Amino acid sequence: MSRIGFFGGSFNPPTIAHFEIVKTALKEFNLNRIIIIPMGDKYNKKDLIPFKYRYQMLNIMFDSYNNIEISSIQINQQVRTYAIDTFEIIDQKYRNDERFFIMGLDNFVNITNWKDSEKLIKNRKYIIFKRNNIKVKEENENIQFLDINQNISSTIARGKIKSGENLSKILLPSVIDYIIQNRII
């Protein structure tokens, strides 16, 4: 049985924080691999970079990691999907593996507001990373905290890109090059 982490998000664009979260989760939780799932173009988010660019930036970011896969599960998304839809696909496809859902504490504290939240929480294991100084509850067997506190956001990155500010502490050089070459944002 493999231990697999699933990290969903908009990755709009993928930042150094995303990179560090994935690397740290692999090591701290002894995961065999992590599958990163960028949300499709129908995801309800302002200023969403098209999927094909976000997908490619993630592939560039993790190119040298054999134990990190970028999922295209939402590439042809025709309608808005919800976390529960993706989680159920993962549960079915990877039913023989130990699954861990990786997310920021800012999202996890609001999970009760998500569609079918009781199904999202029940019988699932979570790896939660701290964000924005949100207070945390104690761990239990299904909720563990990643020892990393990342407050770099894609929103900050997009703002710095638009204003022409230095991005070296927010984005990897290969991602910066891709954004410039493809005139993204």
Side-chain angles (χ1 to χ4, degrees):
M1 178 187 317
S2 290
R3 292 170 56 89
I4 305 175
F6 296 90
F7 186 19
S10 60
F11 305 103
N12 192 41
T15 67
I16 287 174
H18 296 125
F19 185 72
E20 292 301 323
I21 289 163
V22 169
K23 287 189 340 181
T24 306
L26 273 169
K27 183 178 177 183
E28 280 192 26
F29 293 94
N30 197 29
L31 301 176
N32 298 98
R33 66 183 167 141
I34 289 181
I35 299 174
I36 299 173
I37 306 169
M39 300 298 106
D41 288 333
K42 297 293 183 186
Y43 184 61
N44 188 20
K45 187 172 189 92
K46 185 180 179 202
D47 299 327
L48 188 63
I49 298 167
F51 180 90
K52 66 180 182 179
Y53 296 121
R54 292 179 287 119
Y55 179 80
Q56 190 57 36
M57 285 185 278
L58 286 163
N59 275 305
I60 289 167
M61 181 181 275
F62 294 105
D63 182 51
S64 62
Y65 291 85
N66 294 330
N67 53 355
I68 298 170
E69 175 187 332
I70 313 305
S71 172
S72 61
I73 192 172
Q74 295 205 5
I75 193 167
N76 294 319
Q77 180 187 43
Q78 298 300 314
V79 296
R80 180 178 177 190
T81 59
Y82 295 88
I84 190 64
D85 303 320
T86 304
F87 281 30
E88 287 178 345
I89 291 168
I90 290 167
D91 287 343
Q92 181 62 33
K93 185 172 181 179
Y94 299 95
R95 67 180 166 268
N96 295 324
D97 298 300
E98 189 174 8
R99 299 171 305 282
F100 299 85
F101 296 90
I102 303 168
M103 69 172 56
L105 185 58
D106 54 336
N107 281 320
F108 191 73
V109 297
N110 291 312
I111 204 166
T112 56
N113 298 323
W114 296 9
K115 180 181 179 194
D116 293 332
S117 62
E118 63 286 342
K119 288 182 185 177
L120 287 172
I121 297 168
K122 187 177 181 182
N123 300 321
R124 289 202 170 82
K125 295 180 181 180
Y126 286 90
I127 296 172
I128 307 298
F129 57 91
K130 299 173 188 169
R131 292 210 44 192
N132 305 325
N133 299 316
I134 297 171
K135 302 294 182 206
V136 298
K137 294 181 180 179
E138 291 191 28
E139 298 180 33
N140 67 45
E141 71 258 5
N142 291 329
I143 302 169
Q144 300 175 47
F145 291 99
L146 183 62
D147 189 21
I148 193 168
N149 191 357
Q150 287 295 341
N151 290 320
I152 298 172
S153 74
S154 295
T155 303
I156 292 170
R158 289 192 312 276
K160 289 186 179 289
I161 291 167
K162 288 177 184 175
S163 65
E165 293 180 50
N166 185 330
L167 301 168
S168 63
K169 293 184 178 179
I170 296 175
L171 302 176
L172 293 178
S174 56
V175 172
I176 294 170
D177 291 345
Y178 184 83
I179 289 170
I180 292 167
Q181 290 170 2
N182 290 279
R183 296 187 173 115
I184 300 170
I185 303 179

